[in-house]
Amino acid sequence: MRQKPRLFLVLGDQLHPDPHPLLSGVTPDDFVLMAEVAEESTHVWSHKARTTLFLSAMRHFAAHWRNRCRLTYLLLGTHSLHSLSEVLEDFVLHHPEVSTISVLEPGDARLARALVDCAQRLQKPLTVLPDPHFLCARDEFEHWAQRGERSTDNLRMEFFYRWMRRRTGVLMRDDLPVGGQWNFDAENRSGFGKNGPPPVPLPVRFVPDVITQSVMRDVEQVFPEHPGSLADFAWPVTPDEARAALHDFIVHRLPSFGQWQDAMWQGEAFLWHSLLAAAMNLKLLDPRDVIAEAEAAYLNGAAPLAAVEGFVRQILGWREFVRGVYWRHESAWPTANALNAAQPLPQWFWTGQTGAACLKAAITQTLEFGYAHHIQRLMVTGNFALLAGLHPRAVADWYLAVYVDAIAWVEEPNTLGMALFAIGGRMTSKPYIASGAYIKRMSNYCKGCVYRPEARTGPKACPFTTLYWDFLMRHDAMLRANPRMAMAYKNLDRLTSEEQTAIRAWAQIRLEQIDSV
Ligand code: FAD
Ligand code: SF4
């Protein structure tokens, strides 16, 4: 007897290469549905490059599958369905013979809930399959998180990372880390010093093809007011391009990745970073391949262990860890605000028009490329948002909007959990805060700035420095007892009460005039 057709919904960040984990069992009778919907670009005010990247990768994926299954693909601007739920509802109403709906687990709890609700309304069974892209499944993470080795709910990436190294055998020999240590931070994370970086290898660029160009036109037409530029769009949009980007990184930048991982330099947006997050997050690239290539570079002598370990830690450790944390605290993110921060987001976050050279550089390159590297996100924009007490929801929505690699499962825990300490100590042991002295040490931004990193008060005072001391005083009751904050409070206590009063007064002025920082 002929079976009723099933419906397979492919989401925009589930563009795995063949064999696709959702589509491998599809028969010619089954339906496959993909849709470009406005809501995914408008629920936060998405950067044009972010929307273009998603839609171009989706259209390339559809081109690959079009003749191999019964694919329905809805193009942006050619239909009036606003959300994926509306698309699903409309499709099933027109194809009532659909027996079941299947989807890989979404990377956004909001969308996951919407799809469950929609299937219920349609009275069709929904199967949500685990995404084999990740090295640690959600239930495995939960199992790890509940093991007896921690006495509290406060999870630490370092323990998770070691567990993942042991489970996968990556950079391991006889259950011990290769090189005799788990961590090479002492050799990594230097600044460039006065002379600046050596010549920076330019990353490979992927010139927009016909498909990408048509997406760019559509995005400019449908979202003309959205932030960001498409002038420099050169991101990989297919699995082949993603592999070429990986190869380019392994050969040209991995050997120095660790050493310059935290450094920043005016006019250098990419430095030795991999630029692979977006390709991995769209699933064009398998993290196992990325890790294997990096490990092979160490084994064949092409890259030092410190660089390779530093890089592997980001993918096997941080990337998998934040995903586990995202789902573990799924309900916390929409309202997370442990420090009761309430300042609105300054307008210059959308323009880069600020006198603070470090913020200007990070935001300007973000608007230009949809990219800033980790320390720019954490210790420049994130640090400022935390010190200034910007409202976590506004900040998280900004990060979700402006980065090409932004998807809820990775953006929310990084922004709310790590950068803003908005779920307290559940993800990091202390807030990541630093004064202008840190930014001065790790970059040359301060040289071209209207502010002075060492000045705490007065019109020339670095906003980071003023707000750093003010932050410690503002959150004294909550943070002083934290052993990892002991040094910061010891330094605060060295300031006279007159100095502390002057800082508080100046911080007040700075916060009242935050739009003109
Ligand atoms: P590299 O510096 O080359 O690092 C290698 C890879 O490691 C990255 O491609 C990424 O896949 C992984 N990685 C490194 N750090 C992290 C981390 N903390 N969490 C998850 N993966 C990590 N990353 C995203 O992919 N999407 C986001 O929306 C995102 N938002 C962030 C927001 C804030 C406030 C902060 C502090 C970090 C955020 N990150 C996010 C993590 C990190 O900054 C980016 O993954 C990285 O900058 C991407 O550039 P890259 O590919 O050149 O990374
Ligand atoms: Fe940034 Fe302060 Fe340095 Fe200016 S002085 S670049 S605001 S850290």
Side-chain angles (χ1 to χ4, degrees), residues 355-359 435-437 439-440 445-447 449-453 462-465:
C358 54
L359 287 162
S435 70
I439 294 172
K440 183 182 174 197
Y445 293 140
C446 302
K447 268 189 173 171
C449 186
V450 298
Y451 301 113
R452 298 283 161 268
C462 166
F464 287 86
T465 303

Side-chain angles (χ1 to χ4, degrees), residues 455-481:
R456 295 188 290 249
T457 55
K460 291 272 174 204
C462 166
F464 287 86
T465 303
T466 310
L467 293 172
Y468 170 83
W469 296 111
D470 185 60
F471 178 92
L472 289 176
M473 290 185 262
R474 240 183 293 147
H475 297 293
D476 193 297
M478 188 189 206
L479 298 178
R480 186 178 276 274

Side-chain angles (χ1 to χ4, degrees), residues 273-277 281 314 371 374 377 405-406 410-411 414:
H273 290 273
S274 72
L275 317 181
L276 294 174
N281 296 351
Q314 307 308 313
Y371 180 85
H374 187 67
R377 298 187 205 195
D405 49 46
V410 56
E411 183 276 330
N414 267 301

Side-chain angles (χ1 to χ4, degrees), residues 363-412:
I363 295 171
T364 304
Q365 74 169 70
T366 296
L367 294 171
E368 199 173 346
F369 306 112
Y371 180 85
H373 73 66
H374 187 67
I375 292 303
Q376 293 177 302
R377 298 187 205 195
L378 183 64
M379 300 310 295
V380 179
T381 40
N383 186 21
F384 182 84
L386 175 60
L387 295 176
L390 304 189
H391 194 285
R393 195 64 257 155
V395 179
D397 284 353
W398 181 80
Y399 277 98
L400 190 56
V402 296
Y403 289 108
V404 288
D405 49 46
I407 299 178
W409 67 264
V410 56
E411 183 276 330
E412 301 266 297

Side-chain angles (χ1 to χ4, degrees), residues 78-366:
T78 62
H79 62 92
S80 56
L81 302 163
H82 187 66
S83 67
L84 275 170
S85 302
E86 285 178 32
V87 167
L88 196 55
E89 217 155 292
D90 185 73
F91 189 88
V92 173
L93 287 178
H94 285 92
H95 301 86
E97 68 275 27
V98 161
S99 59
T100 59
I101 303 168
S102 296
V103 65
L104 284 182
E105 54 194 359
D108 182 339
R110 168 191 61 92
L111 181 57
R113 275 191 300 276
L115 293 180
V116 169
D117 291 348
C118 180
Q120 271 170 5
R121 279 197 303 280
L122 293 166
Q123 298 185 338
K124 298 284 180 191
L126 174 72
T127 306
V128 180
L129 296 163
D131 189 341
H133 169 90
F134 295 98
L135 287 101
C136 183
R138 279 166 57 179
D139 57 346
E140 291 170 331
F141 184 88
E142 202 45 41
H143 188 246
W144 169 80
Q146 286 174 9
R147 276 190 343 190
E149 109 188 14
R150 285 152 305 281
S151 56
T152 68
D153 189 34
N154 298 346
L155 304 180
R156 296 292 169 255
M157 198 290 288
E158 185 62 32
F159 299 121
F160 172 77
Y161 170 61
R162 292 179 190 186
W163 179 69
M164 287 294 282
R165 289 268 297 272
R166 287 205 171 93
R167 285 179 79 205
T168 56
V170 171
L171 293 178
M172 296 292 291
R173 192 164 300 138
D174 302 331
D175 207 39
L176 290 172
V178 169
Q181 58 197 74
W182 295 102
N183 185 316
F184 289 84
D185 275 359
E187 291 169 51
N188 288 338
R189 310 185 157 186
S190 320
F192 291 124
K194 284 201 172 66
N195 295 332
V200 183
L202 284 181
V204 60
R205 294 169 53 83
F206 300 93
V207 179
D209 65 4
V210 178
I211 294 180
T212 304
Q213 286 173 25
S214 78
V215 174
M216 289 160 92
R217 279 193 298 276
D218 290 351
V219 168
E220 292 288 12
Q221 201 175 351
V222 180
F223 306 116
E225 307 300 329
H226 276 224
S229 159
L230 289 177
D232 285 303
F233 188 93
W235 295 100
V237 292
T238 64
D240 283 348
E241 289 184 348
R243 286 202 65 84
L246 169 61
H247 180 73
D248 178 63
F249 166 69
I250 297 283
V251 173
H252 300 294
R253 302 193 298 286
L254 174 63
S256 299
F257 172 85
Q259 190 182 0
W260 311 127
Q261 197 176 341
D262 286 5
M264 300 172 279
W265 202 255
Q266 188 71 47
E268 294 291 355
F270 306 121
L271 292 164
W272 279 264
H273 290 273
S274 72
L275 317 181
L276 294 174
M280 277 190 280
N281 296 351
L282 293 180
K283 320 290 160 56
L284 302 175
L285 202 53
D286 190 319
R288 291 165 195 79
D289 294 341
V290 178
I291 292 168
E293 297 253 343
E295 192 174 14
Y298 162 63
L299 293 173
N300 66 30
L305 179 58
V308 172
E309 188 284 315
F311 180 68
V312 165
R313 165 183 296 266
Q314 307 308 313
I315 304 202
L316 188 63
W318 277 111
R319 186 168 185 268
E320 298 284 331
F321 180 73
V322 299
R323 177 172 182 262
V325 171
Y326 175 72
W327 288 109
R328 186 169 172 74
H329 297 303
E330 179 191 337
S331 58
W333 306 117
T335 53
N337 194 358
L339 298 175
N340 292 319
Q343 281 273 355
L345 193 78
Q347 185 53 28
W348 45 259
F349 264 73
W350 297 106
T351 63
Q353 293 308 309
T354 157
C358 54
L359 287 162
K360 187 182 178 119
I363 295 171
T364 304
Q365 74 169 70
T366 296

